[in-house]
Amino acid sequence: MARRDWDDADDEAPASGTRALERALQETRTVYRQADAAYAPYSCPASGECCQLAVTKRQPWLWLPEWELLKRSKPLPPARADGACPYLDAAGLRCTVYADRPFGCRTFFCQRIQGPARQPSEEVARLLQRLERISQRVMPSLQGPRPLLEWYAGVSTAPAREER
């Protein structure tokens, strides 16, 4: 089956349950590819500074399909004592779920970004709206994205559940 890139016109109601979630995950990966393309002219110093959530007092906000991708990437790591992103490696320099990192981690908010003077804000806004629509189709009751550590705390404090 050929890979499909969804666009904004493809917002019909999906099938329910697992099929809807699988489609949402595929669409979320498409949004990620589009964000990566929009930020291709930019570079990051790869210092891991933005992943120091307790220090920066900032964290990415995720829609449900983004969280589902993270949960599926690998087993949830333990919370870090230093308050950094739980997905940051032990050295504090690399993301352990880089391919499935959230949208907010793909769109640089670091002051040390290098590249064209003007970031692609219109494209970012369009892609964020797309993520919202994808999430709303899967879980209409979810009114907005949630901070990464809020999603994480909800799962890491819950009793262990059997993996699919």
Side-chain angles (χ1 to χ4, degrees):
M1 183 173 165
R3 186 183 91 206
R4 170 134 187 233
D5 283 342
W6 282 267
D7 61 24
D8 293 335
D10 192 18
D11 279 334
E12 77 275 1
S16 61
T18 303
R19 186 168 162 217
L21 181 58
E22 291 305 318
R23 177 180 167 158
L25 297 180
Q26 289 177 326
E27 289 182 80
T28 299
R29 285 190 174 107
T30 297
V31 168
Y32 285 176
R33 284 192 302 276
Q34 292 169 346
D36 291 347
Y39 274 86
Y42 299 89
S43 66
C44 160
S47 65
E49 287 177 23
C50 57
C51 305
Q52 302 299 327
L53 308 179
V55 174
T56 65
K57 306 285 190 253
R58 296 179 79 172
Q59 59 181 303
W61 285 57
L62 286 63
W63 287 99
L64 175 65
E66 294 184 276
W67 175 242
E68 289 293 331
L69 281 174
L70 281 180
K71 287 192 324 185
R72 290 175 178 212
S73 292
K74 59 189 277 186
L76 287 176
R80 291 178 55 111
D82 63 3
C85 177
Y87 296 101
L88 191 60
D89 71 2
L93 296 175
R94 301 279 181 244
C95 179
T96 61
V97 290
Y98 191 79
D100 287 323
R101 71 195 185 284
F103 185 85
C105 300
R106 292 166 189 272
T107 55
F108 306 112
F109 56 84
C110 173
Q111 296 300 321
R112 297 178 352 164
I113 184 175
Q114 296 176 355
R118 188 168 184 271
Q119 291 190 42
S121 57
E122 294 85 12
E123 180 70 0
V124 167
R126 186 185 70 76
L127 293 172
L128 282 171
Q129 290 172 346
R130 184 72 184 141
L131 280 174
E132 179 178 5
R133 286 192 301 273
I134 294 166
S135 186
Q136 291 296 310
R137 283 198 325 263
V138 175
M139 183 181 279
S141 63
L142 186 62
Q143 297 301 306
R146 294 170 53 193
L148 169 65
L149 295 180
E150 188 177 307
W151 283 109
Y152 188 82
V155 173
S156 63
T157 59
R161 62 179 175 83
E162 187 175 308
E163 290 297 316
R164 291 179 233 165

